[in-house]
Each structure stands twice: as C-alpha cells, then as structure tokens.
Amino acid sequence: ERSHQLGLLHLPTTSNTAAAMSITCLSSVESFALYFETSGRQQCNWSVFRDRLDVELKRETPNCPHDATTELLALLGLDAEPDAVDYINSKCQLVYDNQPQMDWEAVTKKQAYGQPLFDQTYYDGGSYLNEYYETNVDNRVPYVVNKAANVLKKDGSRIDDVYEAYAKEGKIGYADEVVDNFQNCPLRAAMCCFASDRQAGDNNGNW
C-alpha cells in the first residue's frame, strides 16, 4: 500500500472499496508532502490540513471534479466529514505528542553549571536578567573604557541560541519541571513581559 507523507502524517492512497477508488483523484499520484508548523495558525489540524490538501489536489490533479473533503472521505473510506475531522485531528495530535522535547532544565543549563536556583530566581523576578540594565557608567572592576556592562546580547545569548536552534520548530517542556511557580496554574500557560528598555544610549527607552 502506498501512502502520502503529510508532514509526519501518512494518508493512504488506496481505499478498501472499489466505489471509493472510483472517485479518488490522488490515487494516481506517486507522492507529495505537506508540512506543518509546530504551533500557531499553521499547526496541523483539520482545517489547515484540508486547505493544504485542496491546494495539492488542484496542483497534482487539476481536472479533479471534487474538493479535498470529498477526496479525504474517499481515501479514508469514511462516510461523513465529522469522521474525517476526528481522524485528521487525532493523527495531528499523535504526531505532535511524539515530537522530541527539550526538557526545561536544558534551556538555561544553569543547574548543570552550579546555579540550581537560577530558574526559580528568574521567575521570581530577581535574577540578573530581570534587574540588570546595560550601562556605560563606571560600575565595575576593572573598568573598560567605551565598553558597556550588562549587555543583553551577551548575558542572554543562550535565549537566542535556544530559539534559533530548537524553539522555532520544536517543543520545550513546561517550566514546572524545575520551578514551583506554576504548580497551581490551571491554564498551563506563561507569558514574559518586559516593561522597560535594557539597552543604554539608544534613545528609545528608559535608559
């Protein structure tokens, strides 16, 4: 049995019934792929899947007389759209659940580097990432002429590293693996808000 790989989803291109096969259009197509984002508006779900498949259907078989919903029902051997919705959503969820995940303790790596309380302190609002501001003032020893202190690009370089290398396309474990701030949070969601500008001398913020 051949199958089309849709992101990490596999959709059969042969049906169990001759009647269904008689109305399918993609059964003659060797292969194609649809890719989905791991979060946001283009995350794998029924509506996004159907719309993507409709585009592929028109491209691969422009003379096909029906839309993606009808094609899916025929390929899956289902009778009603709600059944197809449940099938696709369950498959999308299964793919998402099986994605590799970065454990939260690997995000900052502070525990491994001898700072076991850093994550807790950060979410309590008391770490150097919360309180320090870039400054050109002589406030450190030894003082370096024309070099700012507390530069976010340096101090927070790990944030950009994790975002570019992993967070853009992968999953990250919830922070309560390491901290206890969210143990009683029923929404299981967190948002960071930075209310002041950290850079010095850029004329667009507080400092």
Side-chain angles (χ1 to χ4, degrees):
E1 179 183 87
R2 295 179 301 164
S3 66
H4 290 315
Q5 185 174 339
L6 304 164
L8 295 177
L9 216 63
H10 292 275
L11 178 68
T13 56
T14 57
S15 177
N16 295 327
T17 66
M21 280 298 297
S22 67
I23 64 171
T24 60
C25 297
L26 290 175
S27 58
S28 61
V29 178
E30 182 177 352
S31 67
F32 66 90
L34 300 181
Y35 297 93
F36 304 91
E37 297 177 1
T38 55
S39 63
R41 296 171 60 183
Q42 295 303 312
Q43 184 174 358
C44 181
N45 57 49
W46 161 252
S47 60
V48 173
F49 186 97
R50 179 201 56 209
D51 292 345
R52 296 277 188 86
L53 185 61
D54 195 50
V55 172
E56 197 69 28
L57 192 65
K58 293 174 181 176
R59 177 166 52 211
E60 296 287 348
T61 57
N63 296 322
C64 186
H66 54 252
D67 61 11
T69 300
T70 303
E71 181 73 11
L72 277 171
L73 292 175
L75 290 172
L76 298 175
L78 300 174
D79 297 321
E81 182 174 335
D83 297 328
V85 172
D86 291 341
Y87 178 88
I88 295 300
N89 282 341
S90 66
K91 291 295 184 181
C92 288
Q93 186 62 49
L94 181 63
V95 168
Y96 183 75
D97 290 342
N98 289 334
Q99 279 187 316
Q101 175 175 293
M102 173 184 278
D103 293 335
W104 181 262
E105 63 183 16
V107 173
T108 64
K109 289 188 174 181
K110 293 297 185 181
Q111 293 196 23
Y113 294 150
Q115 300 181 50
L117 298 180
F118 175 84
D119 296 277
Q120 182 73 51
T121 303
Y122 172 77
Y123 279 106
D124 287 339
S127 78
Y128 66 86
L129 289 178
N130 304 93
E131 297 183 341
Y132 288 8
Y133 294 90
E134 181 179 322
T135 178
N136 296 318
V137 178
D138 183 1
N139 68 338
R140 57 185 174 169
V141 179
Y143 177 65
V144 181
V145 178
N146 297 324
K147 292 290 185 180
N150 308 326
V151 179
L152 181 61
K153 187 174 182 179
K154 178 179 181 295
D155 295 347
S157 61
R158 177 66 182 165
I159 300 171
D160 188 61
D161 291 344
V162 171
Y163 174 72
E164 292 293 342
Y166 198 87
K168 288 173 71 174
E169 297 183 356
K171 292 195 302 182
I172 294 178
Y174 203 57
D176 62 358
E177 299 173 357
V178 177
V179 302
D180 58 16
N181 301 60
F182 307 108
Q183 288 184 350
N184 297 316
C185 177
L187 296 179
R188 305 287 295 171
M191 180 177 67
C192 294
C193 298
F194 295 90
S196 62
D197 185 13
R198 179 174 172 137
Q199 284 72 38
D202 58 5
N203 299 316
N204 67 355
N206 301 341
W207 295 80

